[in-house]
Amino acid sequence: MWWIITIGIAAVCFIIVLIFGAVDGVRNPHKYPNHLSDEEKRRQAHREKRQNNS
């Protein structure tokens, strides 16, 4: 019976970690460059180009 509780707790913790990871990804998209949209990649390249020129 104890293993049902253990699996339930692990599942709840896993879901919480997924939610916090999703929130972090939304707030800090620059941390995860492989998942940026094409428009965001274009903006990031433009920012880097402007920084290199100044």
PDB file of all heavy atoms in Angstrom, residues 42-54:
ATOM      1  N   ARG A  42      15.291  35.895 -35.062  1.00  0.00           N
ATOM      2  CA  ARG A  42      15.634  37.058 -35.874  1.00  0.00           C
ATOM      3  C   ARG A  42      15.906  38.268 -34.980  1.00  0.00           C
ATOM      4  O   ARG A  42      16.883  38.993 -35.182  1.00  0.00           O
ATOM      5  CB  ARG A  42      14.489  37.358 -36.853  1.00  0.00           C
ATOM      6  CG  ARG A  42      14.809  38.462 -37.847  1.00  0.00           C
ATOM      7  CD  ARG A  42      13.591  38.881 -38.637  1.00  0.00           C
ATOM      8  NE  ARG A  42      12.560  39.491 -37.806  1.00  0.00           N
ATOM      9  CZ  ARG A  42      12.628  40.740 -37.317  1.00  0.00           C
ATOM     10  NH1 ARG A  42      13.671  41.493 -37.561  1.00  0.00           N
ATOM     11  NH2 ARG A  42      11.657  41.215 -36.573  1.00  0.00           N
ATOM     12  N   ARG A  43      15.053  38.460 -33.975  1.00  0.00           N
ATOM     13  CA  ARG A  43      15.245  39.584 -33.051  1.00  0.00           C
ATOM     14  C   ARG A  43      16.563  39.446 -32.278  1.00  0.00           C
ATOM     15  O   ARG A  43      17.283  40.422 -32.077  1.00  0.00           O
ATOM     16  CB  ARG A  43      14.088  39.655 -32.065  1.00  0.00           C
ATOM     17  CG  ARG A  43      12.795  40.111 -32.664  1.00  0.00           C
ATOM     18  CD  ARG A  43      11.712  40.156 -31.613  1.00  0.00           C
ATOM     19  NE  ARG A  43      10.426  40.437 -32.217  1.00  0.00           N
ATOM     20  CZ  ARG A  43       9.268  40.080 -31.686  1.00  0.00           C
ATOM     21  NH1 ARG A  43       9.241  39.426 -30.541  1.00  0.00           N
ATOM     22  NH2 ARG A  43       8.138  40.359 -32.283  1.00  0.00           N
ATOM     23  N   GLN A  44      16.849  38.222 -31.831  1.00  0.00           N
ATOM     24  CA  GLN A  44      18.073  38.007 -31.061  1.00  0.00           C
ATOM     25  C   GLN A  44      19.308  38.275 -31.919  1.00  0.00           C
ATOM     26  O   GLN A  44      20.271  38.896 -31.467  1.00  0.00           O
ATOM     27  CB  GLN A  44      18.087  36.582 -30.533  1.00  0.00           C
ATOM     28  CG  GLN A  44      19.107  36.362 -29.442  1.00  0.00           C
ATOM     29  CD  GLN A  44      18.940  35.000 -28.802  1.00  0.00           C
ATOM     30  OE1 GLN A  44      18.663  34.022 -29.484  1.00  0.00           O
ATOM     31  NE2 GLN A  44      19.104  34.942 -27.503  1.00  0.00           N
ATOM     32  N   ALA A  45      19.276  37.830 -33.165  1.00  0.00           N
ATOM     33  CA  ALA A  45      20.400  38.081 -34.075  1.00  0.00           C
ATOM     34  C   ALA A  45      20.570  39.581 -34.302  1.00  0.00           C
ATOM     35  O   ALA A  45      21.691  40.093 -34.339  1.00  0.00           O
ATOM     36  CB  ALA A  45      20.172  37.359 -35.399  1.00  0.00           C
ATOM     37  N   HIS A  46      19.449  40.298 -34.426  1.00  0.00           N
ATOM     38  CA  HIS A  46      19.513  41.749 -34.619  1.00  0.00           C
ATOM     39  C   HIS A  46      20.112  42.426 -33.392  1.00  0.00           C
ATOM     40  O   HIS A  46      20.948  43.331 -33.517  1.00  0.00           O
ATOM     41  CB  HIS A  46      18.097  42.284 -34.891  1.00  0.00           C
ATOM     42  CG  HIS A  46      18.040  43.751 -35.155  1.00  0.00           C
ATOM     43  ND1 HIS A  46      18.589  44.317 -36.280  1.00  0.00           N
ATOM     44  CD2 HIS A  46      17.507  44.763 -34.437  1.00  0.00           C
ATOM     45  CE1 HIS A  46      18.401  45.622 -36.235  1.00  0.00           C
ATOM     46  NE2 HIS A  46      17.737  45.910 -35.129  1.00  0.00           N
ATOM     47  N   ARG A  47      19.724  41.991 -32.194  1.00  0.00           N
ATOM     48  CA  ARG A  47      20.285  42.558 -30.954  1.00  0.00           C
ATOM     49  C   ARG A  47      21.792  42.331 -30.877  1.00  0.00           C
ATOM     50  O   ARG A  47      22.550  43.230 -30.533  1.00  0.00           O
ATOM     51  CB  ARG A  47      19.612  41.921 -29.737  1.00  0.00           C
ATOM     52  CG  ARG A  47      18.378  42.638 -29.283  1.00  0.00           C
ATOM     53  CD  ARG A  47      17.848  42.046 -27.984  1.00  0.00           C
ATOM     54  NE  ARG A  47      16.491  41.581 -28.243  1.00  0.00           N
ATOM     55  CZ  ARG A  47      16.079  40.333 -28.133  1.00  0.00           C
ATOM     56  NH1 ARG A  47      16.881  39.396 -27.713  1.00  0.00           N
ATOM     57  NH2 ARG A  47      14.841  39.993 -28.410  1.00  0.00           N
ATOM     58  N   GLU A  48      22.219  41.095 -31.184  1.00  0.00           N
ATOM     59  CA  GLU A  48      23.647  40.782 -31.127  1.00  0.00           C
ATOM     60  C   GLU A  48      24.422  41.605 -32.149  1.00  0.00           C
ATOM     61  O   GLU A  48      25.527  42.079 -31.860  1.00  0.00           O
ATOM     62  CB  GLU A  48      23.863  39.288 -31.359  1.00  0.00           C
ATOM     63  CG  GLU A  48      23.381  38.444 -30.206  1.00  0.00           C
ATOM     64  CD  GLU A  48      23.417  36.959 -30.505  1.00  0.00           C
ATOM     65  OE1 GLU A  48      23.853  36.586 -31.624  1.00  0.00           O
ATOM     66  OE2 GLU A  48      23.021  36.171 -29.630  1.00  0.00           O
ATOM     67  N   LYS A  49      23.849  41.799 -33.308  1.00  0.00           N
ATOM     68  CA  LYS A  49      24.511  42.586 -34.355  1.00  0.00           C
ATOM     69  C   LYS A  49      24.672  44.038 -33.899  1.00  0.00           C
ATOM     70  O   LYS A  49      25.722  44.633 -34.097  1.00  0.00           O
ATOM     71  CB  LYS A  49      23.683  42.516 -35.642  1.00  0.00           C
ATOM     72  CG  LYS A  49      24.313  43.187 -36.825  1.00  0.00           C
ATOM     73  CD  LYS A  49      23.449  43.002 -38.061  1.00  0.00           C
ATOM     74  CE  LYS A  49      24.008  43.772 -39.234  1.00  0.00           C
ATOM     75  NZ  LYS A  49      23.123  43.713 -40.399  1.00  0.00           N
ATOM     76  N   ARG A  50      23.627  44.595 -33.275  1.00  0.00           N
ATOM     77  CA  ARG A  50      23.704  45.969 -32.789  1.00  0.00           C
ATOM     78  C   ARG A  50      24.732  46.102 -31.681  1.00  0.00           C
ATOM     79  O   ARG A  50      25.459  47.092 -31.587  1.00  0.00           O
ATOM     80  CB  ARG A  50      22.334  46.439 -32.278  1.00  0.00           C
ATOM     81  CG  ARG A  50      21.422  46.820 -33.429  1.00  0.00           C
ATOM     82  CD  ARG A  50      20.102  47.434 -33.029  1.00  0.00           C
ATOM     83  NE  ARG A  50      20.069  48.026 -31.714  1.00  0.00           N
ATOM     84  CZ  ARG A  50      18.983  48.088 -30.949  1.00  0.00           C
ATOM     85  NH1 ARG A  50      17.855  47.570 -31.366  1.00  0.00           N
ATOM     86  NH2 ARG A  50      19.009  48.661 -29.776  1.00  0.00           N
ATOM     87  N   GLN A  51      24.817  45.106 -30.787  1.00  0.00           N
ATOM     88  CA  GLN A  51      25.798  45.155 -29.701  1.00  0.00           C
ATOM     89  C   GLN A  51      27.222  45.076 -30.240  1.00  0.00           C
ATOM     90  O   GLN A  51      28.126  45.749 -29.745  1.00  0.00           O
ATOM     91  CB  GLN A  51      25.563  44.011 -28.718  1.00  0.00           C
ATOM     92  CG  GLN A  51      24.369  44.234 -27.812  1.00  0.00           C
ATOM     93  CD  GLN A  51      24.155  43.081 -26.869  1.00  0.00           C
ATOM     94  OE1 GLN A  51      24.757  42.018 -27.020  1.00  0.00           O
ATOM     95  NE2 GLN A  51      23.271  43.257 -25.891  1.00  0.00           N
ATOM     96  N   ASN A  52      27.433  44.270 -31.258  1.00  0.00           N
ATOM     97  CA  ASN A  52      28.786  44.118 -31.820  1.00  0.00           C
ATOM     98  C   ASN A  52      29.233  45.378 -32.547  1.00  0.00           C
ATOM     99  O   ASN A  52      30.418  45.677 -32.586  1.00  0.00           O
ATOM    100  CB  ASN A  52      28.826  42.925 -32.785  1.00  0.00           C
ATOM    101  CG  ASN A  52      28.677  41.604 -32.053  1.00  0.00           C
ATOM    102  OD1 ASN A  52      28.897  41.531 -30.856  1.00  0.00           O
ATOM    103  ND2 ASN A  52      28.295  40.579 -32.775  1.00  0.00           N
ATOM    104  N   ASN A  53      28.300  46.133 -33.108  1.00  0.00           N
ATOM    105  CA  ASN A  53      28.645  47.350 -33.847  1.00  0.00           C
ATOM    106  C   ASN A  53      28.936  48.529 -32.931  1.00  0.00           C
ATOM    107  O   ASN A  53      29.626  49.449 -33.328  1.00  0.00           O
ATOM    108  CB  ASN A  53      27.520  47.729 -34.829  1.00  0.00           C
ATOM    109  CG  ASN A  53      27.455  46.772 -35.994  1.00  0.00           C
ATOM    110  OD1 ASN A  53      28.416  46.066 -36.276  1.00  0.00           O
ATOM    111  ND2 ASN A  53      26.314  46.749 -36.661  1.00  0.00           N
ATOM    112  N   SER A  54      28.420  48.514 -31.727  1.00  0.00           N
ATOM    113  CA  SER A  54      28.615  49.670 -30.849  1.00  0.00           C
ATOM    114  C   SER A  54      29.893  49.589 -30.050  1.00  0.00           C
ATOM    115  O   SER A  54      30.624  48.662 -30.050  1.00  0.00           O
ATOM    116  CB  SER A  54      27.435  49.796 -29.890  1.00  0.00           C
ATOM    117  OG  SER A  54      27.299  48.628 -29.117  1.00  0.00           O
TER     118      SER A  54
END
